[in-house]
Every structure is written in structure tokens, then in C-alpha cells.
Amino acid sequence: MKPRIVVTTHLPGDPIGLLREHPLGRDAEIIQLDEPRAPRHTDLLELVRGAHAILPHIPDRIDAEVMDAAGKDLRVIANYGAGYNNIDVEAARERGVVVTNTPDVLTEATADIAWLLILNAARGAFPANRDLREGNWTGWHPTQYIGRDLAGSTLLVVGMGRIGLAVARRALGWRMRILYCARSRKPEAELEPINATQVTLEQGLREADVVSLHCPLTEETRHLIDENRLDMMKPESILVNTARGPVIDEAALAVALQRGTIHAAGLDVFENEPQVHPDLLENDRAVLLPHIGSGSERTRRDMTAIAVDNLLQALAGGVPPNRVD
Ligand code: NAP
């Protein structure tokens, strides 16, 4: 078999070189799109035709139609990303296609960005920085640029998985009380060092000063933070999302920030990327980043190596390390 491998975008860390190092990749037909943007869905359907393996990234929607366009030889979809809500895992299972992701390597980088958002939302650093650069800073003044203290406050982690835990660990530096909600109880060995208490989402939202979202995007978590839940939060609280945009009802958040229902929000992800709700763009209480959670050099390189390894192991008929289905 001469496998056809489709890589849907340019990736750091030489994916083609890594594929070619493996006997299966050496003779493979490798197609890599080198566009700065994700391919349109119609182009994706063309691109994957006859593929044995697809290495997509987060903006690629790999649904049943794409799998059927690839055809009966498709063995593996090796996603570049920890989240895999862009892939219809059920459709893959029905077709006997293996789905993999790239967790772990991006945990620390993403936790750093969650904290960057928490700190900036608490202290209003982005608008202050803009004022300074635009020549609008008039000098130090006791009533200017007043933020909120984090030390000793309460953090709610929604989704105490890899990244949630890394964010909670960092909170110890601020002597924060840590609450978390998840569907299952997490191992004592992980919780004991951070002294985390499991609560219901509603209880956590009522008590927390900082709410940080780290659950995957599923049907259950879509709009998990809606108007009703935003109303439960404290007016001085901060909401941070480095998970997936649709976990928050973005329009409801824009209204909540305008009304002062919550103090500020820090967002790395959005409902309709790359679009951002216009009211959030206008609001200084919204700290906005263009989905850079995993964006450190080493992390992005390691993600490539892991995605390639998953792809090759599945193509070889083995069980890849990061199978999600
Ligand atoms: P993970 O280790 O699988 O952790 C996710 C946690 O969410 C699990 O512990 C899970 O626990 C919990 N969870 C699932 N459904 C839940 C629900 N309905 N309510 C509350 N908790 C729920 O994943 P991870 O590596 O930490 O990554 C988390 C997410 O971050 C990914 O899915 C991805 O979308 C996102 N991410 C974003 C970036 C970025 O660039 N911004 C980078 C990496 C990852 P239970 O099953 O017990 O509920």
C-alpha cells in the first residue's frame, strides 16, 4: 500500500520530514496545504479524496461528508490540537476511523495564557498599555488604572483536567482558595497538594472571584455559561475562557459586561472564530487574545511530532497513544 496522507495546513516542526523518517511515510503520497488560512469545506472535500490519513487542525471541520469524500481507505484522523470538537467522532467510529489528539504537551503553555488573561482582566493592563502607547498617560495618579486584588481570592476551575489542574497549581502562588466542578471526582493525589474542593457549577459561580473554563466543547457544555449563569456570578468576578468559544454565550457575555453583571472577561477563544462579537471588541473590560493558548515554539513543534506519531501508529495498524474515540 502506498498511503495517501493529507496535512491540511503548514505546521511547525517539519511534519513532512517526520513522516518521511518512517517506513510508511517514506513511500507515501503526502499532500500538505501551505495556506495561512484553513481550507474551505468544499476544498477540504477535494483535498482528502482517497486519503488513508488526515492531519487536520482546529479550524477544519472533519464531518461525515469529509470522511465519505476521503473514502473507504481512510484509517485515521490525527488532529493537531487537544480539543477535537472539530471532528465528528461518532461518524468516525461508525466508519472504523481512528481519531487522535495532542494533549499534555500544550498544558503548561495554555495554563500560562489563562493566567495572562486572569492578571490582565484583574488589573486592566491592556487598556492601560494602549493609553500609554497612544500618548494618553498623564502621569502617576492615585485614582488611575485601579484593578482588583487576586491574592487570597477564590478560583473556580470548570473542568479539572490537565489544563484546569495546571491553572489551579499556579493559583497557589496567589494563596487562592480553589473550587472545581467536573462530572467525576478527580484523584486525591492530584487534589491534595492544591486543596481543591468539588462544588456544583452553580455553587462555584456564586462563590468565585475568578472562573476559568477548561472543559471540552460538547453538546453538554455548549453555552454552559449563559445569561442565567452569568447572573449567578459576583459583580466583582472575572470570567476566563481558554477552552472553546461556544462554552460561553458570547452575546450574553457582552451584555453582562456592559451591565456590570461581572467585572471583566478574558477570552482566548470565540464562538465564531475569527469573528468576535462587536460589543466585546468595544469593551475595555474584555481582554481578548486570538486563540494563542498553545502558541509557544516548543509546544507547537511538539504537537506536530505527536500528531505525526499518532497518525503513523494508526496507519501501521497499532493503537496510537492519543486515541480519543
Ligand atoms: P482534559 O484533560 O480532558 O480535561 C477536560 C476536563 O473537563 C476533564 O477533566 C473533564 O472531567 C472535564 N469536563 C468534561 N465535561 C465537563 C462538564 N460538562 N462540566 C465540567 N467539567 C467537564 O483536557 P485538557 O487537556 O485540560 O484540555 C481542555 C480543553 O482546553 C480542550 O478540550 C480544548 O478544547 C481546550 N484547549 C484550548 C487551547 C487553546 O489554545 N486555547 C489549548 C489546549 C486546549 P469529567 O469528565 O470528570 O467531567
Side-chain angles (χ1 to χ4, degrees), residues 110 161-163 183-184 186 214 216 221 242 244 268 291 293:
T110 310
R162 299 170 178 92
I163 300 169
R183 293 166 309 172
S184 58
K186 301 299 158 188
H214 302 289
T221 63
T242 56
R244 284 288 181 266
D268 183 48
H291 202 150

Side-chain angles (χ1 to χ4, degrees), residues 64-136:
E65 197 184 2
V66 173
M67 295 175 208
D68 289 340
K72 60 176 179 28
D73 290 332
L74 182 64
R75 294 250 193 91
V76 54
I77 301 163
N79 206 34
Y80 184 84
Y84 48 88
N85 50 285
N86 56 317
I87 297 169
D88 186 340
V89 176
E90 190 52 47
R93 194 176 298 127
E94 283 164 12
R95 288 160 180 76
V97 176
V98 171
V99 179
T100 64
N101 68 344
T102 61
D104 294 316
V105 284
L106 41 61
T107 296
E108 302 300 334
T110 310
D112 284 348
I113 291 298
W115 268 96
L116 187 154
L117 291 169
I118 293 169
L119 287 164
N120 279 289
R123 299 298 294 271
F126 278 25
N129 177 265
R130 186 194 55 217
D131 279 1
L132 183 146
R133 286 173 182 276
E134 291 179 355
N136 295 326

Side-chain angles (χ1 to χ4, degrees), residues 9 24 27 37 53 61 88 95 103 120 134 144 148 150 153 182-183 193 209 225-226 233 247 252 267 269 288 300-301:
T9 193
L24 270 175
D27 302 325
R37 283 161 201 263
R61 178 164 50 85
D88 186 340
R95 288 160 180 76
N120 279 289
E134 291 179 355
Q144 258 182 352
R148 308 205 68 85
L150 289 169
S153 63
R183 293 166 309 172
D209 301 293
I225 306 297
D226 58 7
M233 294 176 66
V247 177
L267 308 174
V269 286
L288 311 172
R300 289 276 165 89
R301 245 193 350 257

